[in-house]
Amino acid sequence: MRYGYGLPPSYTLIIAEKPRAAEKIAKALDPHAVKGRLRGVPYWVIRWNGRPAVVASAAGHLYSLYTDRRGWPVFEYRWVPRYVAEPGSSHTKRFLEALKVLAQRAHTTINACDYDIEGSVIGYLIIKFLLPGRRVFRAKFSSLTRSEILRAFRSLGSLDHEMVEAGLCRHELDWMWGINVSRAISDLMSDALGKKVILSAGRVQSPTLLRAVTRIIERRLFVPLPRFYPRVQVRVGNKLLGLEYDDEPFTSRSSAAEFVKCIREEGYVRVTEVRIEEKRVLPPHPFNLPDLQKEAGQILRFSPYTTQKLAEDLYLEALISYPRTNSQKLPPTLDNRGVLKALSRNPRYRSLIASLLLETRGILRPNNGPSYDPAHPAIYPTGEGSAKRLSKKHLALYDLIVRRYLATFAQPAVLRSVTVYVSACGRRFRISTLRVVREGWYRYYPYHRPREGEGIPQELLKRGAKIPVAKASYSIRYTKPPPPPTRLELLRWMESVGIGTESTRAEIIEVLFRRGYVVARSGRIDVSDLGLAVASLLQEFFPQLVEVELTRRFEEYVEAIRARKLRCREVVEEAKKVISGSLERFRSSYRKALEEVPSFIPVAGAGDRCRLCGRRAVSRSLCRIHLEAYRRVVEAYEEWRRAGFSKEEYLDRIRRLKSVGQYIREVVEALGSEILRELS
DNA sequence: GCAAGGTC
Ligand SMILES: [Zn+2]
């Protein structure tokens, strides 16, 4: 084997971000591409413009920032192969070794990683370490279709230095913040707890933790308030019909009773408005990952992380397109007819697809959404691969993706809603119903189909009509705390405030679990004492890191570096100053911070203890949080008193209501008589 | 060991 591995004596090396992309590039540039393997890693030998070339692949980041220094502050770091920094990632070693071999005879190299900031960094680091001194180009494509690849390779650019510098800088900033603050709080908690703990903090995970903590504290300190809702039934013919109250609730028993009395005396309600509306509901947008995670969460009860893992499997089986995308747009060049034809080989979809082709007369226009991704289109089924050997969960997710894809081409659904508003003693009630007039896309993707209601009697459909009252009363309901966070809710929050990426959000939520900051019981997230302590520490000593704004600043830096208005070195120097300053302040308040810990976590020998939980007491032998609960129980009574409750009745209800916050319940159960005295 | 970002 003269050239070894069947490689040409010299060639251009084209580097893709992942094997799937390498394959597409190779086949677009040369339909006769020949596949080879090195260390199990695929590559393709092609002829391109009459010359030999090899298309090889990374597997995402193959290098990582690393330091061998211990302790903090630490600002010395360098790029090393990822398998050095993270011994768990042995596959990166195989990819790197394959690239090392393929690099030897390359005279020229093309960074053909995804055309986004990370792709620029991934390719740059490989070229820097394995291909020094070669001629370098950057391929810039916005999708991996044949025509777009050909276009990009006809107009290769020079290496995008600005983009690379911006990307490297983002990595450094995250590293400096994350590693330093993680080490600082790990040391502190280890000292406080008397055992070694490894904790973490970062630009994305810490605001997410704070979000969960804030919600949980709100729930634990929640005192429900009484609200009174009128209940009215009217008589139409010989039928009784309940009205839905559509106005502000009453805040006292007496005002509600007075209102009921008024209605009874009046004896009728009057129809004030009849609203008949026909609404077109447009078909859904093609899936991006956040939408897929949301729908799979609500329809299939999958966690965002599960959905992502299953989608990655489907992608690797070639059943669906690349899933880690934010785009809601199908590629304009996608042969949808071909995909449908391939999909209808599956008996499960045959009749649906036949009806779709009929109703669209074969004109397949997707309802593309506004969300955009620089490197990948929306998720769609390829029609390739076999869905036969899939697990139940894989199959369920695949089915969701296929149906969503079909639905986006379908007709809008049409709903007809009738709402009758009636008024009684100056307050508004209503009765409404809904019918699906045209099924449209619900046929393909039925999960959003609304429940249809019963018809409304003719007598009510006349403005000014007087309808006799049959029954009137009121019921008491209590205000509700905000719902407990779920993984899906946290993910959607991260997306809405713009932190993390499609590839990282679900994983970062799992990090909060691994650190023991949060736990989940039947899907509902709860925060541990450790999570509360860490969130509070970060808020006090590293407030920038728990705020979403840090990401906005990073984005500004990245933009400025790309525009050459700033250089990475300046940004890093500035960040170093800020982080060093925070770390110094933390160091000088270390003893004070150490003393804060027992306010969150019961630890031995912490002096005066809370009588309810063993945390450090601040006053009246209560910890900070139980003292706050005590204050709120006392404060809330005023509203209950005005609603018509005695203080005994109040405490009794608080003991029994399920929505009462945990801290509130603990205080009332243990200190009922004390609170009763305070209320006098 | 700690981040966040890729992908297997
Ligand atoms: Zn306490």
Side-chain angles (χ1 to χ4, degrees):
Chain A
M1 247 207 329
R2 184 162 166 216
Y3 300 130
Y5 312 107
L7 292 170
S10 108
Y11 47 80
T12 296
L13 182 62
I14 298 168
I15 301 166
E17 187 159 320
K18 43 192 174 271
R20 180 60 55 81
E23 179 176 13
K24 285 192 174 165
I25 291 167
K27 289 183 174 167
L29 296 180
D30 178 358
H32 305 294
V34 175
K35 185 176 180 180
R37 275 187 189 276
L38 265 173
R39 306 278 282 117
V41 176
Y43 64 89
W44 286 261
V45 179
I46 63 170
R47 286 196 76 79
W48 170 52
N49 289 342
R51 294 202 179 86
V54 171
V55 186
S57 171
H61 283 289
L62 298 181
Y63 293 88
S64 176
L65 283 172
Y66 178 74
T67 187
D68 25 35
R69 302 217 174 210
R70 300 158 72 90
W72 52 275
V74 55
F75 295 104
E76 293 95 68
Y77 47 78
R78 60 200 156 85
W79 288 97
V80 300
R82 221 194 110 194
Y83 62 83
V84 174
E86 299 159 54
S89 63
S90 57
H91 72 280
T92 63
K93 191 169 184 183
R94 290 190 296 111
F95 276 85
L96 218 43
E97 283 173 355
L99 281 166
K100 196 179 278 178
V101 172
L102 297 173
Q104 284 166 10
R105 296 207 193 97
H107 53 76
T108 300
T109 183
I110 300 172
N111 179 2
C113 293
D114 296 351
Y115 190 49
D116 55 25
I117 199 159
E118 294 302 327
S120 293
V121 171
I122 290 165
Y124 165 81
L125 289 169
I126 291 167
I127 292 165
K128 172 182 154 113
F129 288 113
L130 299 183
L131 293 137
R134 312 300 205 284
R135 293 186 67 191
V136 183
F137 297 97
R138 177 74 161 116
K140 306 175 180 181
F141 40 77
S142 59
S143 70
L144 281 172
T145 59
R146 194 182 129 80
S147 59
E148 176 67 1
I149 291 167
L150 291 176
R151 189 201 57 69
F153 276 80
R154 269 197 306 270
S155 52
L156 290 171
S158 55
L159 202 60
D160 44 352
H161 289 104
E162 298 81 5
M163 189 111 133
V164 168
E165 184 172 327
L168 292 170
C169 194
R170 202 276 310 148
H171 279 270
E172 292 184 40
L173 293 174
D174 270 323
W175 191 93
M176 291 192 294
W177 273 105
I179 300 298
N180 277 294
V181 177
S182 294
R183 288 181 176 186
I185 61 169
S186 296
D187 279 0
L188 184 94
M189 291 305 287
S190 298
D191 287 343
L193 302 174
K195 60 171 184 189
K196 178 107 183 119
V197 287
I198 292 159
L199 302 178
S200 64
R203 171 177 60 83
V204 180
Q205 65 171 264
S206 295
T208 307
L209 172 64
L210 189 68
R211 162 82 183 184
V213 163
T214 308
R215 171 72 66 82
I216 290 295
I217 294 203
E218 222 182 306
R219 283 175 57 79
R220 291 188 185 171
L221 287 173
F222 183 74
V223 186
L225 299 170
R227 295 287 182 261
F228 302 87
Y229 289 83
R231 281 213 293 223
V232 172
Q233 284 187 317
V234 291
R235 186 184 305 283
V236 183
N238 53 7
K239 263 177 66 182
L240 293 187
L241 211 59
L243 301 180
E244 191 188 331
Y245 186 60
D246 190 34
D247 220 319
E248 288 297 304
F250 293 90
T251 55
S252 79
R253 198 188 285 283
S254 56
S255 55
E258 205 171 302
F259 177 74
V260 168
K261 189 163 160 251
C262 169
I263 290 194
R264 286 188 184 143
E265 282 171 6
E266 200 96 331
Y268 64 87
V269 299
R270 193 180 282 282
V271 174
T272 54
E273 191 186 350
V274 178
R275 199 178 291 169
I276 299 174
E277 280 169 328
E278 229 162 63
K279 206 169 92 185
R280 276 159 49 94
V281 186
L282 291 180
H285 301 315
F287 269 141
N288 59 11
L289 184 61
D291 291 346
L292 177 63
Q293 284 167 317
K294 167 173 167 262
E295 295 284 283
Q298 289 171 353
I299 297 162
L300 304 171
R301 301 274 141 212
F302 292 169
S303 78
Y305 186 71
T306 300
T307 299
Q308 176 157 352
K309 288 292 157 207
L310 294 172
E312 279 162 8
D313 293 340
L314 295 176
Y315 162 68
L316 292 174
E317 291 293 320
L319 287 157
I320 63 167
S321 63
Y322 181 84
R324 290 179 287 260
T325 175
N326 185 43
S327 172
Q328 295 170 322
K329 302 174 208 302
L330 290 178
T333 54
L334 180 61
D335 173 20
N336 292 302
R337 242 170 188 290
V339 172
L340 290 179
K341 198 171 157 203
L343 284 174
S344 57
R345 284 202 307 265
N346 185 338
R348 196 184 180 125
Y349 303 118
R350 193 168 299 148
S351 71
L352 276 182
I353 289 171
S355 96
L356 181 67
L357 289 172
L358 196 68
E359 87 171 62
T360 58
R361 292 190 215 95
I363 302 168
L364 297 168
R365 281 225 319 264
N367 182 23
N368 284 339
S371 291
Y372 163 83
D373 188 290
H376 303 282
I379 302 167
Y380 58 88
T382 57
E384 295 166 35
S386 168
K388 280 201 187 105
R389 286 197 310 278
L390 293 179
S391 78
K392 240 178 156 169
K393 284 187 167 182
H394 286 100
L395 202 59
L397 192 72
Y398 179 68
D399 186 60
L400 197 69
I401 292 168
V402 171
R403 287 175 171 280
R404 178 76 161 212
Y405 173 73
L406 300 182
T408 194
F409 299 111
Q411 302 289 315
V414 179
L415 305 178
R416 185 167 190 264
S417 72
V418 179
T419 310
V420 175
Y421 294 96
V422 308
S423 144
C425 295
R427 298 275 179 142
R428 192 160 85 149
F429 295 76
R430 67 177 199 180
I431 181 165
S432 58
T433 189
L434 188 77
R435 225 157 44 80
V436 177
V437 181
R438 194 173 74 187
E439 189 180 26
W441 60 272
Y442 292 152
R443 179 175 163 87
Y444 309 94
Y445 194 84
Y447 316 105
H448 294 277
R449 193 190 174 110
R451 264 222 308 269
E452 296 186 68
E454 284 177 40
I456 297 177
Q458 279 300 320
E459 291 90 326
L460 281 165
L461 297 180
K462 228 171 16 192
R463 202 169 150 234
K466 276 165 72 169
I467 313 292
V469 170
K471 283 187 190 162
S473 60
Y474 66 85
S475 65
I476 181 167
R477 280 187 242 159
Y478 303 89
T479 55
K480 291 254 183 302
T486 61
R487 284 173 163 98
L488 181 61
E489 207 238 14
L490 285 182
L491 181 102
R492 287 171 56 69
W493 176 77
M494 294 165 86
E495 191 209 346
S496 73
V497 300
I499 60 174
T501 70
E502 278 60 47
S503 302
T504 60
R505 282 178 203 127
E507 175 63 32
I508 285 174
I509 291 170
E510 299 309 309
V511 169
L512 300 180
F513 283 86
R514 278 207 291 282
R515 302 275 172 256
Y517 295 162
V518 300
V519 293
R521 271 180 245 124
S522 57
R524 301 158 145 231
I525 289 180
D526 202 2
V527 177
S528 67
D529 287 346
L530 178 65
L532 292 176
V534 166
S536 168
L537 267 177
L538 293 175
Q539 265 189 298
E540 182 165 354
F541 294 101
F542 305 99
Q544 306 97 315
L545 199 58
V546 294
E547 281 170 14
V548 170
E549 281 64 42
L550 188 60
T551 297
R552 298 292 95 78
R553 294 230 310 278
F554 276 32
E555 287 163 353
E556 285 163 22
Y557 291 143
V558 162
E559 220 17 73
I561 294 168
R562 280 175 66 169
R564 275 282 187 264
K565 289 177 188 151
L566 271 177
R567 297 304 298 255
C568 177
R569 182 185 303 241
E570 304 170 67
V571 173
V572 166
E573 280 310 312
E574 179 62 27
K576 204 166 144 181
K577 272 187 218 152
V578 173
I579 296 167
S580 303
S582 291
L583 291 171
E584 272 167 36
R585 275 191 297 282
F586 183 64
R587 181 90 74 190
S588 61
S589 319
Y590 198 80
R591 293 195 69 86
K592 178 173 159 275
L594 211 50
E595 284 172 21
E596 292 271 314
V597 174
S599 310
F600 297 96
I601 302 177
V603 287
D608 207 7
R609 308 282 207 94
C610 173
R611 8 175 194 166
L612 302 185
C613 66
R615 296 185 184 102
R616 206 237 325 269
V618 291
S619 162
R620 311 170 82 151
S621 297
L622 289 176
C623 67
R624 193 191 307 168
I625 200 78
H626 281 114
L627 194 69
E628 174 65 15
Y630 189 99
R631 195 187 66 72
R632 290 197 185 195
V633 173
V634 170
E635 185 186 86
Y637 174 60
E638 178 55 21
E639 186 148 346
W640 281 75
R641 190 189 62 73
R642 281 199 306 249
F645 290 85
S646 74
K647 45 191 194 268
E648 290 81 4
E649 285 172 326
Y650 167 51
L651 289 188
D652 186 52
R653 297 280 160 122
I654 292 294
R655 279 196 192 93
R656 291 199 333 238
L657 281 172
K658 250 181 69 191
S659 59
V660 169
Q662 176 196 330
Y663 297 138
I664 302 291
R665 184 185 306 280
E666 288 164 353
V667 158
V668 170
E669 271 168 13
L671 310 174
S673 50
E674 210 170 306
I675 293 168
L676 215 50
R677 277 201 302 281
E678 175 127 3
L679 294 179
S680 306

